Amino acid sequence: SAEYLSQKTSDDAFMNTCYQAFFGREADAGGKQGWLDALAQGKSREYVLDGFIGSAEFATTEFDSEIMHNVITRMLKEHGA
């Protein structure tokens, strides 16, 4: 949303949001740091979102597919992806 984008969310906050939205949990330190390193090296937030979508953990997580579609669509819009 425009409101979210105007907050200029930090990469750290973005990663926390990803872990909660995709996996319903807090980020593990190693995984989160790996994504933060990728962002610091110039990878886009869209790249990170694609990584979450394609992850084995996400594939085995049981969510209502319509809800997840809405969450992913919202995150892509919020993060300019």
Side-chain angles (χ1 to χ4, degrees):
S1 70
E3 181 181 351
Y4 185 85
L5 289 174
S6 71
Q7 295 174 12
K8 299 186 182 189
T9 305
S10 68
D11 287 341
D12 187 73
F14 171 72
M15 292 312 310
N16 289 334
T17 299
C18 286
Y19 274 91
Q20 284 298 325
F22 284 90
F23 307 137
R25 66 172 176 84
E26 296 293 320
D28 59 283
K32 181 179 177 181
Q33 190 59 53
W35 289 116
L36 288 171
D37 291 346
L39 290 168
Q41 294 170 2
K43 297 291 185 183
S44 69
R45 289 183 174 189
E46 183 176 7
Y47 173 86
V48 172
L49 292 172
D50 287 343
F52 272 74
I53 291 167
S55 72
E57 182 175 357
F58 182 67
T60 61
T61 303
E62 293 185 28
F63 288 105
D64 179 288
S65 62
E66 183 177 347
I67 291 172
M68 281 312 299
H69 173 75
N70 292 339
V71 167
I72 292 167
T73 300
R74 185 176 63 228
M75 287 186 73
L76 289 170
K77 287 179 182 176
E78 289 175 349
H79 296 289

